[in-house]
Amino acid sequence: MLSPMRGRFAWCVWFVVAAGCGDDSSAVDAATADAGADASVDAFVPLDTFLPESFEAPRPLVDHVDPLIGTGGLGFSVGSVSPAPQRPFGLARPAPDTATEAGSPGFSHCAGYNHFDHLIQGFSQVRPHGMGIAEYGVVALMPTDGMDASKTNKVGYGNSFSHDDETVEVGYYDVTMADGIRVELTAGERVARHRYTFPTGMDNTVLLDVGHFIGEIDILDGEVTYDAETNEVRGHSTFAGGYSNRFGGMTVYFVARLEQSPTGSGVWSDGVLSEGTTMRGTAAGAWFSFDERSVEIAVGLSFTDVEHAAMNLDAEPENFDDMRTATRDAWEPLLERALITARTEREHRLFYSALYRSLLMPTLASDTDGTYRGFDGELHSVHRDGLESFRYYTDHSLWDTFRTQGPLLSLLYPELQRDMVESLMAMAREGGFMPRWPLGTGYTGGMAGDSADIWFGDAYLKGVPFDVTEAYALLRVTAMAPTPEGAAFGGRKGIASYMTFGWVPTDEGSWTTSHTLEFAYDDAVLAVLAEAAGESEDAALLRMRSGNWRNLYDPDSGFILGRAADGSFPAEPNLDTWQDYYAEGTAWQYLWYVPHDLAGLAEAMGGEAVMHERLLEFFERSKRNRLGPEFPPTYYWHGNEPDIHAPWIFSALGDPAETAEWVHWVMNRYYDDTPDGLPGNDDAGTLSAWYVFAALGVFPIAGTDTYLLGAPTVTHAVLDAPAGAITIDAPNAGLGRSAVQETRVDEAVVVGQSTHADLIGATIRFDIPAP
């Protein structure tokens, strides 16, 4: 999912200035020429005559994770990954917010950090993972040499740094800035810990800025209050980001505990210093001076209130090193759910880094006592009968994550998936309808479709326990009726016309084709839930509606296009550029967006042979498509979501070797173990979860029980799925070794696909000939 156009424009301006180009066109031409000249991006490591000996990833697995992967990139290839230490799905994500002299435009700083930069403008406590829109990035701490009025904003207190002076590990970030101040960060679930070491001779000072922000966020309010008796700073920051502004903004509450007593302190607002202990405003903060060279500060966080931020602070490890160890230890058992054997350490690094990034967001939003702020603005509890019944998570990038991250949770982490499902149900109960893109404490209405249907359906089909009858009733509200008049947020956009015409007409605005395709897919999965809930009439209706994609298939052009209410298609459709009736895509990219009915799509095209030929054309065109990172690709676009299942469609057509060839091409071209190692926003782990499945040679069609099979790049894997371990055996596998001749699930030969029930507890053997 990408940011609004204002973010793209801002990035273009930033890119030109930062690159030292004279104008937009020169930057574009240079980037495009470089991309076109780099033929190496399609060059596989040659494995035709020699296969390096494979070896199991050495323990601990956290040592193979590189949190810097995806922290860089330019244009549409920005990964929006932060090196923040955090627990799995944790709330606390402290990290540097970086910039260049030209600034920090939102599109390239949605998580606050970009590896291209060399300035640090504070260390904020919370941030999203892989979003294309700036959010959070508030409540900043910054160590500095002395205090004056120039240091009351992020530009004034900024400091330069070099990546040579960074250390980034799971649960730990360390940098020494240009003036010699060392900053160490770690995090628990709801607590961020900072440790600063000042060089000799400095006026050791720490700033706390509640007016700090990243990207294009607006600060609506902030407050700091220092209590000298407890050595604590309490307060909040209320902000409106690219999505949170849609529901009026949201608030992060904090309690910062100073482990050393300051020798001096003060507050500020709008650049004016004061000797008081309390300040409120949109540009407020506090400063503290210390005699000690080493200063440690712990920051408890909450979306509920200051009292719960204090409660959360008291519940976690009381010193930096213990918290760092506990966070590192928390990751190991989750990574151990997938034990792989591969030919290089690089493959281990890519795999476990991807698995790690798949578990960074959504965000834990319930406090240590189970309290959370619901979408009705009220306080609620996850406790039932005195017990914690689930953990409440927010920040669900559903339009992206349902495709890969959701199925990964259903397969390997069903206990976590259950929490996600229960959280979404709570949002629907308390807010009135199932969200599309819930962020923090509110609805955003972001993106197209009704993706929660597929998230729930996938969990249900794979055995995740939840009340399917209640879930269906909550999901049904958005699928069967228009949004109530006067409601700020509601159900499916264009649902009345969808039910009347069988498509959302272009007369009704933008993204209408995408809405129709999403709704058809949603309906196919929702029908399964309706049947399970005993609503057979609804199930029949939904199954019929799942074929509505056919109403937009134009037989004259052979593409899925926009269609007006009078039934007409565009007279001369433009197939190669973004059209208003698609959500971020072209006709080529949306041609394949019928994952739930690939057989029907083949029939519409004239048969499986024709579909195979057109799919091959799509990827051959993609291979030749050499636009630079400032342009979205015309054909296969792995940096966005609607067509990321396309390489796997060959397997649905009975050609797993072709699937393997193109999946390996994607892995080779678009993933790397560098800061530029992702082809676009990770979208809360979507692209990372895709890589995990691709390395295993197994890909889910989300919301169904079908897995498409290609060829793994790992030679062996054991997936410790709670429902039953899955073993993958491919002794001759490797990147670029796509000529799979036969695949067996236990002793049964399968051609290109299998089911969840058949894979659970089974061994999948991929027969790839030796060189």
Side-chain angles (χ1 to χ4, degrees):
M1 181 203 64
L2 301 173
S3 69
M5 288 305 295
R6 66 171 182 157
R8 293 185 189 127
F9 176 76
W11 175 81
C12 290
V13 173
W14 171 77
F15 175 78
V16 171
V17 175
C21 301
D23 54 44
D24 286 353
S25 61
S26 62
V28 167
D29 291 345
T32 305
D34 288 345
D38 184 11
S40 66
V41 294
D42 290 323
F44 290 118
V45 176
L47 296 174
D48 293 336
T49 59
F50 170 70
L51 291 180
E53 191 71 27
S54 61
F55 58 99
E56 185 176 335
R59 309 291 183 91
L61 300 179
V62 290
D63 286 347
H64 303 290
V65 175
D66 183 352
L68 285 172
I69 295 175
T71 57
L74 293 172
F76 286 95
S77 294
V78 170
S80 291
V81 176
S82 165
Q86 73 163 92
R87 292 284 185 95
F89 302 124
L91 168 61
R93 297 168 183 148
D97 298 326
T98 64
T100 68
E101 284 82 358
S104 54
F107 186 69
S108 57
H109 293 79
C110 296
Y113 180 99
N114 190 298
H115 202 265
F116 183 84
D117 299 338
H118 60 276
L119 297 176
I120 291 176
Q121 296 184 327
F123 298 85
S124 60
Q125 315 310 307
V126 287
R127 66 202 65 250
H129 168 66
M131 277 184 69
I133 295 175
E135 281 292 353
Y136 299 113
V138 293
V139 187
L141 290 170
M142 186 68 175
T144 188
D145 182 6
M147 184 59 186
D148 58 54
S150 70
K151 295 182 178 181
T152 57
N153 62 71
K154 62 182 181 179
V155 175
Y157 56 65
N159 202 338
S160 60
F161 77 109
S162 168
H163 294 300
D164 293 338
D165 298 319
E166 280 184 310
T167 300
V168 185
E169 301 171 356
V170 172
Y172 181 68
Y173 176 86
D174 177 10
V175 64
T176 298
M177 296 183 289
D179 61 2
I181 299 176
R182 182 183 182 188
V183 176
E184 297 173 273
L185 306 174
T186 190
E189 287 194 318
R190 305 172 183 90
V191 177
R193 280 195 172 270
H194 298 235
R195 184 162 64 193
Y196 309 135
T197 305
F198 294 89
T200 301
M202 274 195 175
D203 180 1
N204 307 335
T205 305
V206 177
L207 316 177
L208 195 161
D209 185 2
V210 294
H212 177 91
F213 61 92
I214 61 173
E216 296 154 352
I217 288 173
D218 294 322
I219 300 297
L220 306 180
D221 186 31
E223 183 176 14
V224 289
T225 298
Y226 173 54
D227 185 336
E229 291 188 8
T230 62
N231 249 10
E232 290 180 348
V233 188
R234 298 187 172 211
H236 70 269
S237 177
T238 302
F239 63 93
Y243 264 2
S244 54
N245 66 359
R246 297 184 179 186
F247 56 88
M250 65 169 291
T251 300
V252 172
Y253 300 92
F254 70 90
V255 173
R257 183 170 295 154
L258 313 179
E259 302 294 349
Q260 290 73 36
S261 297
T263 56
S265 67
V267 292
W268 77 76
S269 180
D270 295 320
V272 178
L273 301 181
S274 167
E275 294 182 355
T277 58
T278 298
M279 189 61 72
R280 185 165 188 168
T282 59
W287 59 270
F288 307 91
S289 57
F290 298 88
D291 286 340
E292 292 90 349
R293 287 187 57 208
S294 180
V295 174
E296 187 170 327
I297 301 175
V299 186
L301 301 163
S302 175
F303 292 157
T304 302
D305 52 37
V306 169
E307 290 70 29
H308 280 88
M311 182 185 300
N312 294 340
L313 177 57
D314 290 337
E316 300 210 29
E318 295 183 355
N319 67 68
F320 188 98
D321 293 325
D322 286 351
M323 180 170 283
R324 176 184 176 184
T325 298
T327 294
R328 178 181 169 89
D329 290 347
W331 278 100
E332 191 69 11
L334 296 185
L335 299 179
E336 287 177 345
R337 297 275 177 100
L339 302 177
I340 66 165
T341 298
R343 300 195 184 281
T344 65
E345 166 54 28
R346 179 178 181 272
E347 289 182 85
H348 293 146
R349 184 161 53 252
L350 283 167
F351 182 88
Y352 285 109
S353 297
L355 187 57
Y356 168 84
R357 292 191 304 271
S358 302
L359 303 173
L360 294 177
M361 204 170 91
T363 303
L364 179 64
S366 51
D367 298 308
T368 189
D369 70 345
T371 302
Y372 67 91
R373 188 170 298 279
F375 278 24
D376 55 2
E378 303 298 323
L379 298 187
H380 300 271
S381 176
V382 301
H383 288 93
R384 295 175 185 169
D385 300 324
L387 300 175
E388 184 178 75
S389 58
F390 70 103
R391 309 185 95 203
Y392 182 80
Y393 292 92
T394 187
D395 301 342
H396 296 263
S397 182
L398 289 171
W399 186 76
D400 312 289
T401 54
F402 86 81
R403 306 162 200 269
T404 57
Q405 188 205 36
L408 183 65
L409 294 180
S410 295
L411 177 66
L412 289 184
Y413 309 101
E415 74 282 10
L416 296 174
Q417 176 67 297
R418 178 183 173 275
D419 286 342
M420 305 302 173
V421 166
E422 292 286 352
S423 299
L424 292 169
M425 290 173 68
M427 292 172 188
R429 281 193 299 266
E430 293 147 15
F433 69 96
M434 191 65 69
R436 286 200 297 275
W437 211 125
L439 183 131
T441 56
Y443 291 106
T444 72
M447 300 310 296
D450 202 4
S451 302
D453 296 335
I454 302 176
W455 188 280
F456 277 78
D458 195 88
Y460 167 73
L461 287 170
K462 292 163 186 174
V464 177
F466 60 91
D467 186 337
V468 69
T469 301
E470 183 189 8
Y472 176 71
L474 294 169
L475 292 163
R476 189 184 190 278
V477 172
T478 61
M480 297 294 191
T483 301
E485 187 173 350
F489 298 98
R492 299 183 181 186
K493 186 176 181 179
I495 185 63
S497 293
Y498 176 78
M499 292 190 295
T500 299
F501 296 107
W503 70 90
V504 183
T506 53
D507 315 55
E508 297 194 7
S510 59
W511 292 12
T512 55
T513 298
S514 294
H515 284 307
T516 301
L517 294 175
E518 297 283 355
F519 295 164
Y521 188 4
D522 298 334
D523 286 344
V525 180
L526 192 55
V528 175
L529 295 172
E531 199 73 62
E535 300 289 347
S536 56
E537 290 187 9
D538 278 5
L541 174 62
L542 290 164
R543 280 193 292 268
M544 180 186 70
R545 285 178 13 179
S546 72
N548 280 345
W549 66 268
R550 293 176 180 268
N551 296 325
L552 297 187
Y553 187 85
D554 173 29
D556 292 336
S557 66
F559 284 86
I560 296 173
L561 305 175
R563 191 176 186 183
D566 64 8
S568 61
F569 290 105
E572 296 182 0
N574 190 325
L575 306 176
D576 296 336
T577 60
W578 281 19
Q579 299 301 300
D580 192 47
Y581 43 78
Y582 299 124
E584 302 172 353
T586 68
W588 276 102
Q589 290 156 3
Y590 271 96
L591 175 58
W592 316 103
Y593 195 51
V594 193
H596 65 287
D597 190 9
L598 294 174
L601 182 60
E603 178 186 25
M605 288 184 177
E608 291 188 358
V610 175
M611 185 175 179
H612 189 286
E613 182 179 353
R614 294 193 66 187
L615 188 61
L616 191 58
E617 178 189 6
F618 175 61
F619 278 101
E620 291 292 353
R621 284 173 177 251
S622 304
K623 195 172 184 178
R624 298 192 299 268
N625 192 207
R626 295 292 191 184
L627 294 175
E630 68 280 1
F631 296 106
T634 300
Y635 305 107
Y636 182 72
W637 186 8
H638 195 68
N640 210 23
E641 273 63 43
D643 65 350
I644 60 173
H645 66 291
W648 299 88
I649 294 177
F650 290 106
S651 288
L653 299 174
D655 191 353
E658 198 72 51
T659 276
E661 179 175 339
W662 290 108
V663 168
H664 289 203
W665 170 77
V666 171
M667 296 172 75
N668 184 68
R669 179 169 180 174
Y670 291 113
Y671 292 87
D672 199 359
D673 59 343
T674 68
D676 297 334
L678 287 175
N681 304 150
D682 196 26
D683 286 326
T686 302
L687 299 186
S688 294
W690 188 98
Y691 184 92
V692 170
F693 282 118
L696 299 172
V698 177
F699 187 79
I701 297 298
T704 77
D705 66 350
T706 298
Y707 290 87
L708 300 177
L709 308 178
T713 56
V714 302
T715 59
H716 189 78
V718 177
L719 308 180
D720 187 19
I726 301 171
T727 301
I728 292 170
D729 190 29
N732 292 321
L735 184 64
R737 309 213 75 249
S738 59
V740 57
Q741 293 183 334
E742 183 179 82
T743 304
R744 290 179 177 268
V745 175
D746 286 339
E747 298 306 315
V749 175
V750 297
V751 182
Q753 56 188 310
S754 190
T755 67
H756 181 78
D758 286 342
L759 295 188
I760 290 296
T763 296
I764 313 171
R765 292 182 174 86
F766 295 90
D767 181 8
I768 301 169

